[in-house]
Amino acid sequence: MSSSTIELVVRPRGRPIKNLPETITVSSDASTSQVFEQIANASKFSIHRLRVTKGSDGSSLSNGGSVTVHETGLRNRSAVDVKDLGPQISWRTVFIVEYLGPLLIHPLFYYSRSLIYGTSAPPSQLQKFTLIMCIIHFAKREYETLFIHRFSSATMPARNIVKNSGYYWLLSGFNLAYWSYGPNSPAARPSNPLLTYLGIALFLVGESCNYSTHVTLRDLRRPGSTDRGIPQGLGFNLVTCPNYMFEAMAWIGVALVNWSLSTVVFIIVAVGQMGVWAWKKEKRYRKEFGDKYKRKRYAILPGIW
């Protein structure tokens, strides 16, 4: 196909966008990212704040990748609709803020027992183990956010950070810390050493395997690309998302150490949410890869879910 220059009609969708051009001119063999760049430059918005769809069928255009304008079906005088998604924040920033909460809250409760619980008694060994495990888990999460994860979406609406962070700050932060480090906590009393060692072993294996699966998922996506491959390796022959399976294993290990009902509540909520995400990913894999993908019967827990 020989390259040609085409004019696209630009229409606002939803809230008005100041300085939105009425038309833009692009090459038919240009990447769709150039459509975003022209509109963003004119409107003074980030490309991540804009959603651009075809006026003919409402299908979305990508602000990255190698798909050309011609391949989308857009022709001369075709219309594109532009929606302002509102202020955005990077997913990496969201993750950092989410995990920072528990990372600060657990030491706060542990080292402020006299102020929070009114006790001068030192923490028990199980409470010390609980603190170390929680710090390892969320410090690992921060490391993976900074150096391992590659995000398929660059940003999310900024207003959602309160909701997303609330889950971690409240449920795995304040809730878990308050009931784990108090003088009346089950972790303040002696426990069966075998169960404690089993819990620590499950935690270490779960965290290590979880990290391994995150590296596998990272390597499926080239830097700066949203393209994915079919995940293979540790746990991927058992369930759709073994990273979630291993995370559940690690938290069961924490529960065996501190015997706190708050930990059990967190595990139930977390596994429930991860299970929903895992089934969505299973459906996406089946749709994206077709017969090349070996369908999984279980999304997160072998033989259960």
Side-chain angles (χ1 to χ4, degrees), residues 212-239:
S212 176
T213 56
H214 284 162
V215 172
T216 298
L217 293 170
R218 186 273 311 273
D219 292 342
L220 292 175
R221 180 178 291 134
R222 300 187 307 275
S225 169
T226 59
D227 297 333
R228 289 183 295 265
I230 299 176
Q232 298 177 350
L234 180 65
F236 286 100
N237 61 320
L238 295 175
V239 294

Side-chain angles (χ1 to χ4, degrees), residues 2 35 44 65 73 177 191 207 242 255 286 302:
S2 60
V35 175
K44 310 301 181 185
S191 180
E207 291 291 330
R286 293 180 182 183

